[in-house]
Each structure stands twice: as structure tokens, then as C-alpha cells.
Amino acid sequence: MIRKATLSDIPVIHEMVRELAEYEKCLDEARATEEQLREALFGEQPAAFAHIAQDESGEPVGFSLWFLNFSTWRGVHGIYLEDLYVRPEARGGGHGKALLTELARICVARGYERLEWSVLNWNTPSIAFYESLGARPQDEWMVYRLTDEALGRLGA
């Protein structure tokens, strides 16, 4: 079952964000606090949205966290999926596909024309899963990122 996240899900979302960061070998970079997630998802002006995947007992086993982007070429919003995570013991149970299906349903219902995300190039199980759904890599684009000192220097 997939449902919209609620305020009471913040602790489990925070836990799973940290589990995902550990899986991606970047736990030291996962500095978001529960309070930051609470503000981003449920503050006065939410910047992001989340869904929870539950198992048959109602236990949260995965989540998606996403926000709106905008395509100047298409002239409409899309969804950028920041995180998709299913706990290891629940993988293979259809939760990841259900989370992506819900986001695709939102896109179709709202007239959004893109659902995009990034995946680490070494994460072959996820790449195979995404491609099995019809997703294709955008090999002609490279992701760039400014953080920490470089961002501070440029913004000073």
C-alpha cells in the first residue's frame, strides 16, 4: 500500500534517509535533521512531498521523496524524485514499483510530462529495475553540483 506521508512519519523517513545514505556509501553527507524534514514536507510552504510504502501489517518499508521541477521546453511541471528507498528485507515485494507508479499517476493526473531522477552508476540492481519499467538514462547530460566551500566561494 502506498500513502501520502504524514507528520508522524518524519522519524521513519529520517531513519530511511540515513539507511539510503549508508547504502550509497555517503552516510557522512546525510546531515538532514528530523526538524528540517518536518519543515520541508509540512512547513508553511512545503518544498517537497513524500509517500510511504507499507507492508501487509502496515509497517513502513519504503518511501519516495520528491519535488516539482519545470521544463522550459515542455512548458509544464514535472516531478523530480530525490529519493526512492525500500528496506532490504522488503525488496522484491513490489514496493518500489508501487511508489514509482504513484508518482507516474500524479504526473498523468496533473498534466506533468516528466518524471526524473538520478541513480549512481554502480547501482546496477536499481538501473535494471528502472529500465524494466521503461525509464531510459539521459547519457547526453551530466549532473553538476556545487556544495560546501565551492558553493560558499561562489555565493560570497
Side-chain angles (χ1 to χ4, degrees), residues 39-124:
E39 183 63 27
L41 294 169
F42 301 103
E44 194 172 306
Q45 294 182 7
F49 309 92
H51 285 83
I52 299 292
Q54 295 177 296
D55 65 13
E56 304 77 33
S57 71
E59 184 71 25
V61 295
F63 80 104
S64 63
L65 194 143
W66 56 278
F67 54 88
L68 295 180
N69 59 15
F70 185 81
S71 169
T72 56
W73 291 9
R74 300 272 178 124
V76 296
H77 282 291
I79 287 178
Y80 186 84
L81 175 60
E82 179 66 21
D83 286 332
L84 175 73
Y85 179 73
V86 175
R87 288 184 157 154
E89 64 274 11
R91 292 182 188 154
H95 304 291
K97 183 176 182 180
L99 286 162
L100 282 171
T101 298
E102 178 62 13
L103 296 183
R105 187 197 63 73
I106 291 169
C107 285
V108 170
R110 297 181 186 177
Y112 303 163
E113 295 189 16
R114 290 182 179 165
L115 172 55
E116 297 178 317
W117 61 91
S118 296
V119 61
L120 292 165
N121 61 5
W122 56 259
N123 192 346
T124 53

Side-chain angles (χ1 to χ4, degrees), residues 10-61:
I10 293 297
V12 75
I13 291 171
H14 186 255
E15 267 179 36
M16 288 192 281
V17 165
R18 297 195 49 82
E19 290 170 21
L20 174 60
E22 185 170 25
Y23 172 76
E24 292 182 346
K25 302 173 178 79
C26 296
L27 184 57
D28 59 317
E29 294 181 38
R31 299 184 292 232
T33 65
E34 287 185 24
E35 183 54 40
Q36 287 173 311
L37 290 173
R38 187 176 294 107
E39 183 63 27
L41 294 169
F42 301 103
E44 194 172 306
Q45 294 182 7
F49 309 92
H51 285 83
I52 299 292
Q54 295 177 296
D55 65 13
E56 304 77 33
S57 71
E59 184 71 25
V61 295

